[in-house]
C-alpha cells in the first residue's frame, strides 16, 4: 500500500486488537467493511465509498484503525476545496475528517490515528489545516456540550502540533464555536509561511482571494 504523494512507506502499528495504518490505497479499503456506527458524516456505506474515493485521488491520504477487516476509525487528508481561499496555497493540506466508533473511544484511537498520520515525513513539507464545524460534532454519543467538545478537539489536534489560528474565513465565522487549527511543517519555506499568514485575513467575501 502506497501513498498518492509518492511516499514509499506505509506506516502501521498494532494496538492490542487494532491495526493502525496508512496511507492505505483504494483497493485495500474496498476489501474492508465499515463499522455500522461510523455514521457522523453520512451513512456508513456512503462514507466507506467516500474513503475509497479519497484514497484513489491524487491528493488524498487515508489512515485507518481496523479490527481484522472492520474499519473502526479513520482520518483523511486532501487538498482544500477548490472554492476555498486555502486552495490557492500550494503547500496546504487539509485534515478532512476524523471519526472513531463510539464503542472504541476509550481506546484513544483518534490520537493514535493522528500520531500515525503525522509520522509521515510528507507532513513536514505541508501546512496542515483543519476546519472544524460544530454541526458535525457528535454531542449525543459523547455527552459533551458544544464548548467541552471544542476543547476536546483542540486537545486532540494539539497532541500532534496543530494550534488554533484566527481567520476571517466566512465559513468559520458562521458559528462562534467553529475552529480552525494549523500545523506548519518543519520544511515549509519562509515564503509559504508568509503567504499563509497573509491568507488568514483577506476580507469576508469569498471573492476576496
Amino acid at each position: 500500500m502506497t501513498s498518492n504523494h509518492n511516499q514509499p512507506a506505509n506506516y502501521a502499528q498494532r494496538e492490542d486488537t487494532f491495526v493502525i495504518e496508512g496511507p492505505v490505497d483504494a483497493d485495500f479499503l474496498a476489501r474492508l467493511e465499515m463499522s455500522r456506527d461510523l455514521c457522523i458524516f453520512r451513512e456508513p456505506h456512503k462514507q466507506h465509498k467516500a474513503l475509497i474515493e479519497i484514497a484513489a485521488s491524487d491528493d488524498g491520504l487515508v489512515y485507518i484503525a481496523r479490527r481484522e477487516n472492520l474499519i473502526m476509525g479513520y482520518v483523511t487528508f486532501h487538498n482544500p476545496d477548490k472554492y476555498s481561499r486555502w486552495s490557492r496555497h500550494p503547500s496546504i493540506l487539509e485534515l478532512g475528517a476524523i471519526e472513531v466508533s463510539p464503542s472504541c473511544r476509550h481506546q484513544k484511537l483518534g490520537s493514535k490515528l493522528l500520531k500515525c498520520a503525522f509520522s509521515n515525513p510528507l507532513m513536514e513539507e505541508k501546512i496542515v489545516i483543519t476546519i472544524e464545524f460544530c454541526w458535525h460534532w457528535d454531542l449525543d454519543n459523547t455527552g459533551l456540550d458544544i464548548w467541552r467538545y471544542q476543547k476536546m478537539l483542540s486537545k486532540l489536534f494539539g497532541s500532534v502540533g496543530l494550534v488554533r489560528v484566527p481567520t476571517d474565513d466566512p465559513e468559520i465565522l458562521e458559528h462562534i464555536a467553529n475552529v480552525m487549527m494549523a500545523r506548519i511543517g518543519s520544511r515549509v519555506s519562509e515564503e509559504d509561511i508568509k503567504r499563509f499568514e497573509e491568507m488568514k485575513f483577506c476580507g469576508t467575501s469569498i471573492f476576496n482571494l
Side-chain angles (χ1 to χ4, degrees):
M1 291 170 281
T2 58
S3 163
N4 293 319
H5 287 280
N6 298 318
Q7 295 296 316
N10 171 267
Y11 302 88
Q13 62 186 86
R14 293 188 177 273
E15 295 283 345
D16 299 325
T17 59
F18 297 97
V19 177
I20 300 169
E21 60 189 336
V24 292
D25 64 32
D27 289 341
F28 179 69
L29 279 173
R31 296 196 297 270
L32 303 178
E33 296 182 12
M34 201 82 156
S35 176
R36 293 182 179 180
D37 53 10
L38 291 174
C39 55
I40 294 302
F41 298 101
R42 53 177 67 86
E43 295 176 42
H45 72 280
K46 293 182 179 178
Q47 187 62 13
H48 188 201
K49 181 180 179 181
L51 294 183
I52 294 169
E53 291 174 352
I54 292 170
S57 67
D58 292 336
D59 61 291
L61 298 169
V62 178
Y63 292 80
I64 61 170
R66 63 180 173 87
R67 181 182 288 144
E68 297 182 351
N69 291 328
L70 189 64
I71 299 171
M72 305 302 294
Y74 62 85
V75 59
T76 68
F77 299 84
H78 50 73
N79 289 343
D81 183 274
K82 64 180 180 179
Y83 297 110
S84 163
R85 71 174 65 174
W86 313 108
S87 67
R88 302 295 184 92
H89 197 299
S91 296
I92 287 183
L93 184 68
E94 184 171 351
L95 193 165
I98 183 168
E99 186 179 8
V100 171
S101 165
S103 66
C104 301
R105 284 179 180 162
H106 63 285
Q107 304 274 355
K108 297 185 177 181
L109 288 187
S111 60
K112 291 172 182 177
L113 277 164
L114 289 173
K115 183 178 179 181
C116 180
F118 280 88
S119 69
N120 187 334
L122 172 71
M123 299 303 185
E124 299 307 321
E125 302 171 9
K126 297 290 183 178
I127 299 173
V128 178
I129 66 169
T130 182
I131 300 173
E132 296 301 316
F133 298 117
C134 60
W135 43 85
H136 287 315
W137 297 351
D138 188 13
L139 304 180
D140 291 337
N141 282 319
T142 61
L144 301 176
D145 63 30
I146 197 168
W147 301 112
R148 290 170 64 199
Y149 201 100
Q150 183 198 73
K151 183 177 180 180
M152 180 272 291
L153 283 181
S154 296
K155 182 178 180 181
L156 173 64
F157 295 128
S159 69
V160 287
L162 280 86
V163 298
R164 292 179 65 174
V165 296
T167 179
D168 64 359
D169 186 313
E171 289 191 313
I172 298 172
L173 296 179
E174 281 189 45
H175 195 287
I176 194 173
N178 292 344
V179 177
M180 177 175 175
M181 299 183 72
R183 177 188 183 275
I184 299 175
S186 61
R187 295 196 296 275
V188 176
S189 71
E190 289 297 324
E191 180 181 355
D192 279 348
I193 294 173
K194 180 180 179 182
R195 184 174 182 180
F196 175 61
E197 294 296 327
E198 292 172 346
M199 292 175 71
K200 290 180 185 177
F201 292 92
C202 57
T204 56
S205 170
I206 61 172
F207 301 105
N208 293 334
L209 299 176

